[in-house]
Amino acid sequence: DRIIDHALPAGYIVIAPTSSWPTAEGPSWLPLYHRDQLIDILKKSAETDPKIDPNRIHVTGFSQGGFLTWDILCRASDTVCSVAPLAASGRDDWGADIGFGDQCFIEGSPAVKRSIMFTIGTTDPLSSAANGHDQITSVTAAYFDAGVSPLETSIGQAALEAYGPTGSGINVHFYEHVSVCTLYWGCGGHCFPTDPDSVHACQADFLGDNFGSGQEGALYNHRCCVEGFDYGAKVVDFFQKNPCSPSCSPSCDSTPSPTPLPATDEEDEEEGVTLSGACACSNPTLTLTVFAAVISAFSL
């Protein structure tokens, strides 16, 4: 939610594709059926668009899109630079028969370790906090030495456990927020944490309020009020600080600060793709966002 508001000024090209898989509630992403399609979008974008810096390609996703984010990290860690799954542990029993399988942290790790920002809600009824804690335990065991202790702090109504950086610059940030979303009967903490000071309506007060997201219905991009924590701002900041390499790639300027390019703003509402001429390190970065909250697709 509001990722584009923070990403474009930071120099990102944002791709938010819409699934072609129809359901009664709207398009739905299912990892086993769609991961190769999304990985292909990432790889082709990086290979064919000279404006994109391959050192700064990132993925974030919500709910089923969060499950896919784990899947893409596990299968395309040579392409993505850091990821941010939200409201999905990758361990949730959402139905292997409809496209939810296992991801690599169950028994291992990605081929290339990449930085992760993982966010859950304590009261989430669809992706349990217990599964989230199991996942972060597996992640830290795969990434860090035994007995590593995180830096623990509070950011408003969210708790942060920060691990790293490793010698190769890998960071793992685990956020757990305590907001309770009241948007619909099963929402709980399954939502986009949003600082009420930064957004006038951090939570809907009736079904169908889409918060200006451009999508109809109550099950899309729903917010919840979390004082002092704004997901869009946090995830873009994390991506900026966690490229594939700490320095600029060879195709970039040696200056790491933002370098403006000629304005070439383009927007395609139907495809959900927005391009911006502003960029960091001379070449724009690429962020893939995958949103899904089709409750009828879950096996609870």
Side-chain angles (χ1 to χ4, degrees), residues 159-244:
L160 167 64
E161 293 181 5
Y163 299 83
T166 64
S168 56
I170 300 299
N171 290 282
V172 174
H173 289 184
F174 177 47
Y175 290 98
E176 184 171 357
H177 66 84
V178 296
S179 176
V180 178
C181 175
T182 58
L183 180 58
Y184 63 94
W185 69 267
C187 181
H190 198 75
C191 51
F192 282 91
T194 306
D195 187 352
D197 288 339
S198 64
V199 178
H200 176 67
C202 60
Q203 181 172 295
D205 56 7
F206 63 93
L207 295 182
D209 186 341
N210 65 5
F211 318 100
S213 67
Q215 299 191 67
E216 299 295 334
L219 302 184
Y220 289 89
N221 297 2
H222 41 277
R223 295 173 179 160
C224 52
C225 303
V226 179
E227 183 179 345
F229 187 93
D230 190 284
Y231 183 77
K234 289 293 182 188
V235 73
V236 170
D237 181 67
F238 186 82
F239 287 164
Q240 286 182 293
K241 294 176 179 176
N242 290 277
C244 282

Side-chain angles (χ1 to χ4, degrees), residues 130-150:
N131 283 343
H133 285 275
D134 287 345
Q135 180 73 347
I136 204 65
T137 296
S138 294
V139 169
T140 55
Y143 276 26
F144 303 101
D145 294 334
V148 64
S149 296

Side-chain angles (χ1 to χ4, degrees), residues 6-12 56 236 240 248 252-261 276-285:
H6 298 282
L8 295 186
Y12 286 85
R56 289 167 169 78
V236 170
Q240 286 182 293
C248 293
C252 281
D253 236 310
S254 60
T255 305
S257 57
T259 305
L261 292 178
S276 173
C279 67
C281 197
S282 290
N283 283 1
T285 54

